[in-house]
Amino acid sequence: MTGPLSAILGFGLFGVFCLAFTEKILPIPPSHVLLLFLGMTAAPDDGTLAILLGVTTLASTTGCLVWYTVGRRIGIDRADRLVERFGRYVFLRPETYRKLGQAYRRNHVRVSLLAQFIPTVRNYLPIAAGALCLPALPFVVATLAGATLWNAGFLLTGYALHGSGQSPLAVGFRIIAIVVALETAFMLALRYGPACWRRIRPMLG
């Protein structure tokens, strides 16, 4: 995997942009593995790390806008059918998509931000944003903020591991387990949180 990545990185910042953009369209390799690799191998100093953060965040946001545009053109019914039919092939569970799509209707800015911290969902939930015809500017701002935080976390982790001799893929797999656990916790909170809050609120007065 690192061979093709290294070859693409030979094109400089344009290669970095293409990698981060392509990951938004089809998450292979997963973004956290890609960003760890970039932080460990393509950032010799703080200045370069900052540039990588800017380029990858711009590419991630651009990829989200592509899916937003797709959703806008096809509408909510066709978007739902698309996820139902093909979601399993890109590791997107239809039930996860539906629950976050429902949450979008209640608070699209917050969900646009939080979606950037859920693997695979962060790639394809913009389809729902477009299909629901959510305002583009708040969507872009929230997505940009979320992508900045997500990318910064993994780039900084990779940068901190620079020179440690650890494999980006080995570190990536360990982080996958952590990310999946956080995703599960988030989905449980999304499902049961409102009911728990309704029960606790009267007790708080």
Side-chain angles (χ1 to χ4, degrees), residues 14-170:
F14 177 73
V16 171
F17 182 93
C18 289
L19 282 172
F21 174 81
T22 302
E23 182 276 325
K24 272 294 185 183
I25 305 301
L26 184 65
I28 300 175
S31 61
H32 35 284
V33 175
L34 172 63
L35 294 167
L36 283 168
F37 176 82
L38 291 174
M40 293 177 72
T41 62
D45 52 54
D46 295 350
T48 305
L49 182 66
I51 293 172
L52 285 177
L53 175 59
V55 171
T56 56
T57 299
L58 177 61
S60 296
T61 304
T62 303
C64 284
L65 280 172
V66 169
W67 285 126
Y68 175 90
T69 303
V70 169
R72 192 105 181 186
R73 291 183 66 86
I74 67 177
I76 189 64
D77 292 335
R78 291 174 63 188
D80 289 346
R81 290 197 298 269
L82 185 68
V83 172
E84 287 284 350
R85 185 173 181 181
F86 298 107
R88 62 182 181 276
Y89 298 116
V90 292
F91 312 109
L92 176 61
R93 295 193 296 270
E95 59 271 21
T96 300
Y97 174 85
R98 284 195 300 271
K99 289 173 184 175
L100 286 174
Q102 292 167 2
Y104 246 145
R105 292 177 170 87
R106 295 192 296 270
N107 193 321
H108 61 272
V109 173
R110 181 170 60 188
V111 174
S112 295
L113 176 63
L114 293 177
Q116 293 303 308
F117 301 94
I118 306 176
T120 304
V121 169
R122 65 191 296 271
N123 297 73
Y124 300 115
L125 199 62
I127 297 175
L132 291 169
C133 295
L134 300 180
L137 183 58
F139 168 78
V140 170
V141 172
T143 299
L144 184 65
T148 299
L149 294 173
W150 175 271
N151 291 7
F154 290 108
L155 284 172
L156 287 169
T157 300
Y159 186 66
L161 293 171
H162 181 72
S164 66
Q166 298 188 57
S167 166
L169 291 178

